[in-house]
Amino acid sequence: MTATIASEVQNGVLPFLMNTGGNRTALRGRLARVDGIASSILARHDYPLAAAELSAESIALAACLSSTMDFEGIFTLQASGNASISTLFADVTSAGAVRAYAQVAEDFDREQSLGAPAALIKLMGTGYLAFTVDQGENGRYQGIVPIEEPDLNAVAMRYFYNSEQLDTALLLAAKPDGDGGWHAAALMLQRIPETGGNNEPQPFTDEEDDIWHTACTLMATCTRDELIDPNISPEELLRRLFQELNVAVLPFKMMQDECRCSPDRVERMLDGLEQAEKIDLADDDNKITVSCEFCKKEHHINI
Ligand SMILES: [Zn+2]
């Protein structure tokens, strides 16, 4: 019998590699499991189930993608649309602090059933998905893809295909855990070409192509239910899927539900207002109450 971690709340990303032969290791992957983060974030919001499902998927995807960058800074996933969800947002700092929210229309049909996967294009309509890497003084990079596929998984795959020209396979899953919380996970495979002396990407060999296609075929056997199954540990899932490709895991990167709001930040934001505007916003005690859209904490600022 194989030991598995049962019911443990997992929050973070397990990076892994597959040996593609010789000294080259061009195949990398990430498995994000963010049950605890998605559950606590979504518990603070009263989103309809179908909207919460999309938000949980976005949290898993942001966690997964943020971990592919070795930088100090913030990775942001933001989608904008013109339907019942106008904004979908999740960001992750290099220290593993995760925030998320969705702007959901008041007349959102709360009876709408889950999409499995979440029905991105139906919920957001025409719009775009943007990934931003903000490294402060070291620069900012943004990539954008229009929402022209039915779900977040497919839109993100199109982004990597069109913008990054990186062979990428992705699987996202989110599902209520039946106890008021959420399961949410993302699995990604990518192959990175070696660069030659001229810094140009080298073509893959036939053997490397074979290994890539085998890896994708093995990944395609993973169901969404397996991906989020809390009784299958991340290590066990990867072993089951990719054992024949000598999968090796790297240290697990922990992440947590953590907002970055503070009274100081709110005060700095209010500094941009005219005194008359502040007086308008203040209560009888000359205090302005600002509610954080991420963590719902209320900040009371004296003017
Ligand atoms: Zn906050």
Side-chain angles (χ1 to χ4, degrees):
M1 211 178 109
T2 312
T4 56
I5 302 170
S7 306
E8 183 178 292
V9 175
Q10 294 153 331
N11 285 306
V13 175
L14 186 64
F16 58 95
L17 298 169
M18 282 181 263
N19 195 338
T20 60
N23 292 321
R24 298 179 64 172
T25 308
L27 232 174
R28 71 177 183 184
R30 295 286 189 277
L31 172 56
R33 285 259 182 95
V34 291
D35 291 14
I37 294 170
S39 298
S40 59
I41 288 176
L42 293 170
R44 290 194 296 266
H45 299 269
D46 182 31
Y47 298 143
L49 270 186
E53 181 189 33
L54 182 58
S55 184
E57 282 188 9
S58 76
I59 293 167
L61 179 59
C64 188
L65 297 184
S66 73
S67 70
T68 63
M69 280 154 287
D70 46 359
F71 64 91
E72 288 286 318
I74 301 165
F75 174 87
T76 303
L77 175 162
Q78 183 164 15
S80 290
N82 62 359
S84 49
I85 296 179
S86 52
T87 300
L88 180 69
F89 186 102
D91 73 5
V92 186
T93 70
S94 42
V98 182
R99 309 182 302 176
Y101 81 93
Q103 187 70 48
V104 181
E106 301 217 338
D107 62 355
F108 192 100
D109 173 14
R110 297 193 78 90
E111 303 305 312
Q112 197 164 152
S113 55
L114 293 171
L120 175 74
I121 202 164
K122 184 176 159 203
L123 298 176
M124 298 201 70
T126 302
Y128 67 87
L129 171 66
F131 298 123
T132 309
V133 175
D134 191 341
Q135 302 178 74
E137 289 172 0
N138 295 321
R140 187 172 179 275
Y141 167 82
Q142 186 173 63
I144 290 182
V145 62
I147 297 173
E148 290 174 342
E149 310 282 345
D151 56 63
L152 189 57
N153 202 126
V155 174
M157 294 265 288
R158 175 150 311 271
Y159 167 77
F160 281 107
Y161 185 78
N162 287 353
S163 301
E164 303 276 328
Q165 273 127 32
L166 278 181
D167 287 326
T168 303
L170 184 67
L171 182 65
L172 298 179
K175 200 175 184 178
D177 66 4
D179 208 15
W182 283 83
H183 295 304
L187 175 62
M188 183 175 74
L189 282 186
Q190 246 175 8
R191 65 169 177 172
I192 314 293
E194 297 279 311
T195 47
N198 53 1
N199 234 5
E200 287 292 306
Q202 300 293 295
F204 292 106
T205 64
D206 288 348
E207 188 198 9
E208 286 167 340
D209 280 340
D210 281 349
I211 291 168
W212 171 250
H213 292 303
T214 302
C216 290
T217 305
L218 294 171
M219 181 166 156
T221 66
C222 183
T223 64
R224 287 194 159 78
D225 282 342
E226 254 181 315
L227 183 59
I228 55 170
D229 189 339
N231 293 309
I232 308 174
S233 72
E235 294 83 357
E236 171 67 8
L237 180 62
L238 295 176
R239 194 189 60 76
R240 283 189 196 181
L241 290 171
F242 302 120
Q243 191 169 27
E244 69 181 81
L245 291 175
N246 296 324
V247 61
V249 300
L250 299 169
F252 188 81
K253 180 171 173 48
M254 300 281 285
M255 295 182 178
Q256 62 282 339
D257 164 19
E258 185 185 324
C259 195
R260 304 198 297 279
C261 67
S262 68
D264 280 357
R265 277 171 180 263
V266 175
E267 271 184 50
R268 281 205 298 276
M269 186 185 82
L270 293 177
D271 282 347
L273 298 179
E274 300 289 336
Q275 188 62 18
E277 291 175 288
K278 290 186 192 175
I279 290 167
D280 258 2
L281 291 169
D283 62 16
D284 293 344
D285 296 328
N286 287 331
K287 280 189 166 74
I288 297 180
T289 299
V290 177
S291 173
C292 174
E293 61 192 336
F294 292 102
C295 68
K296 296 289 176 187
K297 187 172 176 179
E298 289 196 339
H299 298 279
H300 305 281
I301 308 295
N302 288 313
I303 62 165

